[in-house]
């Protein structure tokens, strides 16, 4: 039992059986002759067994290391990099003096895009085996990509000294000096404000030094200086990955997205800053502002789409209070106001907001359509037509534009005939309550019984027009058709021609001189 526990990990059956037989026989003889000799024999036996078991343990560990290396190799070939890495971790732990295990793990780190993790392993490889040229060239490549040109050159030159025919090391060592000259020139031009030239030079350098965070930050600053903000965000996205715990990079990236009017992306990046440092004052302050603005923009858009036009206007005004210095946000707020004021029939406010939008963005299709609708509400059909024609030039395939053009053209024709809104003296945006109030007032005024002689005939015609206007404008479906430029009571626009009594009003079967309308009329037609 004791022997099996001591020799755990190796088949000790034959060894123990043979040795134990010899030693027990020796001990038996010793016990009969000399006690001290017996103890000496037992100690020698245990020592022999201990040595054997030690060797067995080393053999078992090395076998496991080989198994991990083999599994790592297979998984790496299959592209299962994370699993391969776990086996290489185990191999390094099992044999920390084996330079090849470190080298293979470094290879996996590089395949995973983690050069910072690969570098310590390559350092360890060269510490254990300085003449391992492949590791030295590999480390030189990482240092070159990181922009550490001096250290990279040392590795490439040492590799050439060890292997004079190493083509890669020769080519890379010859590349270092011209690259350093380019970098020095870019820095000089950057300080003197020649940002376009800096971008051009760094475009060549970054091909060889893609992990050089300092160079990418310089190129990002140059892009910002020439107004190419989108390209600047690309550079900064790379730097936040290259530099550990880069709160400054995330803040810059968030501010840049904010400046570009991309509040959601700004919010995403500032949250990354706060993940790294929840107490970061600048990041937290910006987070509060962009979160508030993002919510306001989202709500304003939702209210616009849901027809909550008064709430939409109010929320848009709040957006301008939160951020009025960045055109993108103020333009969106004004666009919401342009649309919602137009839908509310607030002509003056709608035209003001729409004009502001179109001054900044002359091809804003939505603003042109909304302004056209505001002109229609103001009964300025010529200007409405002009806006719709301009919108048609921008997007001739837009259904909204085609419908708007047709509508305003019908309204222009309609204006030459009867205008029910003008007859009742109400705005095109008047509600049903206002329409009925105007109708009752005019119906009393033009009641035919209150007029005699020639005035009576005029009163009858006026009253019929008033009743027709009331009939159309208080019926939602008829009013909708009328607002689209079609007169539901016009026999020329209906099938079957006009009605009796020589007035198109009778076409719908409504007799203003009957019992309708809340009035009791007594007319003598003889």
């Amino acid at each position: 039992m004791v022997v099996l526990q001591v020799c755990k990990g190796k088949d000790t059956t034959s060894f123990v059986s043979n040795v134990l037989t010899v030693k027990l026989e020796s001990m038996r003889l010793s016990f009969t002759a000399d006690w001290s000799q017996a103890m000496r024999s037992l100690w020698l036996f245990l020592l022999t067994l201990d040595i054997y078991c030690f060797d067995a343990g080393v053999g078992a560990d090395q076998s496991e290391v080989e198994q991990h290396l083999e599994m790592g190799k297979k998984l790496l070939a299959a592209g299962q990099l994370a699993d391969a890495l776990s086996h290489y971790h185990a191999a390094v732990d099992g044999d920390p003096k084996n330079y090849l295990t470190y080298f293979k793990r470094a290879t996996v780190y590089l395949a995973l895009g983690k050069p910072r993790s690969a570098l310590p392993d390559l350092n360890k490889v060269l510490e254990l085996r300085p003449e391992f040229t492949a590791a030295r060239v590999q480390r030189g490549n990482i240092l070159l990509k990181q922009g550490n040109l001096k250290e990279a050159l040392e590795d490439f030159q040492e590799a050439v000294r060890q292997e004079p025919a190493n083509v890669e090391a020769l080519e890379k060592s010859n590349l270092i000096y011209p690259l350093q000259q380019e970098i020095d020139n870019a820095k000089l031009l950057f300080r003197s404000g020649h940002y376009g030239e800096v971008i051009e030079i760094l475009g060549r350098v970054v091909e060889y030094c893609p992990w050089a965070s300092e160079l990418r930050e310089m190129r990002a600053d140059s892009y910002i200086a020439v107004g190419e903000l989108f390209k600047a965000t690309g550079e900064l996205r790379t730097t936040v990955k290259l530099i550990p715990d880069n709160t400054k990079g995330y803040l810059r990236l968030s501010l840049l997205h904010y400046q570009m009017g991309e509040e959601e992306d700004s919010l995403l990046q500032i949250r990354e800053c706060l993940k790294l440092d929840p107490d970061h004052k600048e990041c937290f302050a910006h987070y509060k502002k962009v979160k508030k603005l993002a919510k306001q923009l989202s709500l304003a858009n939702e209210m616009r789409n849901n027809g909550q036009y008064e709430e939409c206007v109010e929320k848009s005004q709040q957006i301008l209070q939160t951020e009025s210095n960045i055109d993108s946000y103020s333009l969106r707020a004004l666009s919401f106001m342009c649309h919602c004021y137009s839908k509310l029939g607030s002509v003056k406010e709608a035209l003001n907001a729409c004009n502001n939008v179109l001054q900044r963005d002359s091809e804003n299709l939505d603003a042109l359509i909304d302004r056209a609708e505001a002109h229609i509400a103001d009964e300025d059909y010529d200007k409405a037509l002009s806006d719709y024609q301009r919108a048609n030039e921008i997007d001739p395939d837009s259904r909204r534009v085609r419908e708007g053009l047709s509508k305003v053209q019908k309204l222009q024709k309609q204006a030459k005939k009867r205008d029910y809104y003008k007859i009742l003296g109400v705005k095109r945006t008047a509600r049903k309550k206002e329409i009925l109030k105007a109708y009752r007032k005019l119906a009393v005024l033009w009641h035919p019984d209150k007029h005699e002689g020639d005035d009576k005939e005029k009163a009858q015609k006026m009253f019929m027009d008033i009743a027709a206007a009331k009939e159309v404008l208080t019926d939602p479906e008829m009013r909708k058709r009328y607002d689209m430029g079609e007169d539901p009571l016009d026999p020329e626009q209906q099938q079957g021609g006009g009605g009796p009594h020589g007035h198109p009003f009778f076409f719908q079967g409504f007799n203003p001189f009957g019992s309708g309308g809340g009035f009791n009329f007594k007319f003598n037609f003889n």
Side-chain angles (χ1 to χ4, degrees), residues 94-155:
D95 190 2
K97 298 295 184 182
N98 188 339
Y99 70 95
L100 282 174
T101 58
Y102 288 102
F103 184 71
K104 291 176 180 179
R105 187 168 72 174
T107 302
V108 179
Y109 275 133
L110 288 173
L112 286 167
K114 298 180 177 181
R116 288 198 304 269
S117 299
L119 204 53
D121 275 357
L122 292 172
N123 291 339
K124 187 66 177 179
V125 170
L126 294 170
E127 177 188 320
L128 294 170
R129 194 175 180 85
E131 68 276 14
F132 190 11
T133 308
R136 193 169 293 280
V137 173
Q138 190 69 277
R139 187 174 72 174
N141 282 327
I142 293 175
L143 294 169
L144 171 60
K145 289 180 178 181
Q146 289 179 336
N148 298 320
L149 301 188
K150 182 180 178 182
E151 295 175 32
L153 181 60
E154 291 173 358
D155 270 342

Side-chain angles (χ1 to χ4, degrees), residues 313 334-358 367 369-375 377-378:
V313 168
L334 288 168
S335 296
F336 290 139
M337 293 169 73
C338 167
H339 179 79
C340 296
Y341 271 133
S342 179
K343 288 295 185 180
L344 287 169
S346 302
V347 174
K348 182 179 178 181
E349 291 83 358
L351 291 176
N352 182 52
C354 295
N355 288 337
N356 273 325
V357 172
L358 291 166
I369 293 173
D370 289 330
R371 189 172 71 175
E373 291 299 311
H375 283 313
D378 201 32

Side-chain angles (χ1 to χ4, degrees), residues 27-87:
M27 289 169 65
R28 185 184 63 78
L29 295 171
S30 298
F31 277 124
T32 58
D34 182 12
W35 171 253
S36 62
Q37 181 62 35
M39 294 304 296
R40 233 184 346 263
S41 296
L42 181 60
W43 181 81
L44 287 170
F45 167 69
L46 293 174
L47 179 61
T48 303
L49 188 60
D50 185 61
I51 291 170
Y52 177 80
C53 291
F54 175 78
D55 290 341
V58 171
D61 288 347
Q62 189 59 43
S63 175
E64 289 179 10
V65 168
E66 291 300 328
Q67 289 178 4
H68 283 304
L69 289 172
E70 184 63 25
M71 281 300 299
K73 180 181 177 181
K74 290 179 180 178
L75 291 166
L76 181 60
Q80 299 176 19
L81 302 181
D83 293 332
L85 187 61
S86 66
H87 282 283

Side-chain angles (χ1 to χ4, degrees), residues 250-289:
Y250 281 117
L251 177 59
R252 286 196 69 197
L253 189 53
S254 179
L255 289 169
L256 196 55
H257 279 299
Y258 186 82
Q259 186 179 348
M260 294 167 65
E262 298 170 350
E263 72 281 354
E264 292 298 334
D265 285 328
S266 178
L267 195 57
L268 182 67
Q269 298 303 327
I270 206 64
R271 281 174 174 153
E272 291 299 319
C273 174
L274 291 173
K275 284 180 186 177
L276 295 172
D277 182 3
D279 298 321
H280 196 291
K281 291 184 178 179
E282 289 179 275
C283 286
F284 186 69
H286 183 60
Y287 169 73
K288 288 197 298 182
K289 182 175 183 179

Side-chain angles (χ1 to χ4, degrees), residues 179-247:
L179 275 176
Q180 189 61 61
Q181 282 189 313
E182 291 261 67
I183 292 170
D184 292 341
N185 191 24
K187 289 179 178 178
L188 183 64
L189 289 167
F190 182 81
R191 287 193 292 270
S192 58
H194 294 83
Y195 302 113
E197 294 177 63
V198 173
I199 292 169
E200 183 181 351
I201 292 172
L202 292 182
R204 297 190 295 268
V205 173
V206 168
E207 288 185 17
Y208 298 99
C209 308
W211 303 333
S213 57
E214 180 186 357
L215 299 182
R216 286 193 174 274
E217 286 180 340
M218 188 192 304
R219 188 158 71 163
D221 290 334
S222 299
Y223 278 135
I224 292 170
V226 298
E228 296 190 43
L229 303 186
F230 180 77
K231 290 182 178 179
T233 61
E235 293 294 338
L236 291 177
R237 283 182 184 275
T238 302
T239 63
V240 295
K241 295 177 182 177
L242 292 172
I243 303 172
D245 300 330
N246 192 359
T247 54

Side-chain angles (χ1 to χ4, degrees), residues 38 47 56 64 70 89 95 130 162 167 175 186 290 349 383 400 402 407 459 477 518:
L47 179 61
E64 289 179 10
E70 184 63 25
H89 284 323
D95 190 2
Q162 293 173 2
V167 175
L175 182 67
V290 70
E349 291 83 358
K383 287 183 179 179
R400 292 170 63 206
R402 290 198 304 271
K407 172 184 172 180
E477 182 59 31

